[in-house]
Amino acid sequence: YKMVMSTVNVIFHRKRRIDPITRGFMILAGFLDIDHIVNVEFWSQQISFVMIGAIVCTQVRGILIRMMRFFSYFSSIFNSNAMVLGLIELMGLYFISSVLLIRMNMPSEYRKLI
């Protein structure tokens, strides 16, 4: 799903103007009437980076666990070198699709860096 959606977003040049964390934080700050006290842009950016880090760590851990189960099931059929090469290729594709999806949710001034 991620690889397909990132490919569609890149092909059709879809760009988000505001990320979900910022939108949610702005709604919460407006509802609680603290938007004049709290710098919404600064804190939403910090919260977004923490959330991105947590999502990337948990997703990589999950995909590695699934791949280890898959390769332990087929370890008697395939050569270990073929399994390692397959895992490297899959992790590379997964990494590229995650970076492209993260890029779509970043503010435009940081999007140029990735």
Side-chain angles (χ1 to χ4, degrees):
Y1 172 75
K2 285 184 180 185
M3 291 190 300
V4 171
M5 287 308 296
S6 62
T7 304
V8 167
N9 289 336
V10 168
I11 289 172
F12 293 118
H13 300 290
R14 291 184 182 172
K15 295 180 182 174
R16 288 191 176 165
R17 290 175 179 54
I18 189 167
D19 63 303
I21 300 290
T22 304
R23 182 177 297 144
F25 196 60
M26 287 173 62
I27 291 170
L28 182 68
F31 180 73
L32 297 176
D33 197 31
I34 58 170
D35 53 349
H36 60 280
I37 299 170
V38 177
N39 187 354
V40 175
E41 183 178 330
F42 172 77
W43 284 108
S44 65
Q45 194 175 44
Q46 301 304 317
I47 292 169
S48 293
F49 283 133
V50 168
M51 293 294 286
I52 286 171
I55 288 170
V56 167
C57 287
T58 57
Q59 286 180 348
V60 168
R61 181 181 176 269
I63 194 76
L64 284 175
I65 289 172
R66 280 186 238 130
M67 293 308 301
M68 290 302 292
R69 286 182 194 157
F70 176 77
F71 283 132
S72 67
Y73 179 72
F74 288 110
S75 65
S76 62
I77 298 171
F78 296 117
N79 187 1
S80 64
N81 292 335
M83 290 188 341
V84 169
L85 288 174
L87 179 62
I88 289 171
E89 185 174 345
L90 233 123
M91 287 302 297
L93 287 172
Y94 189 78
F95 176 75
I96 290 171
S97 65
S98 294
V99 167
L100 288 175
L101 282 175
I102 288 170
R103 184 182 182 271
M104 294 297 295
N105 289 324
M106 292 182 83
S108 59
E109 62 265 9
Y110 296 115
R111 215 175 277 158
K112 297 172 189 171
L113 298 174
I114 294 180

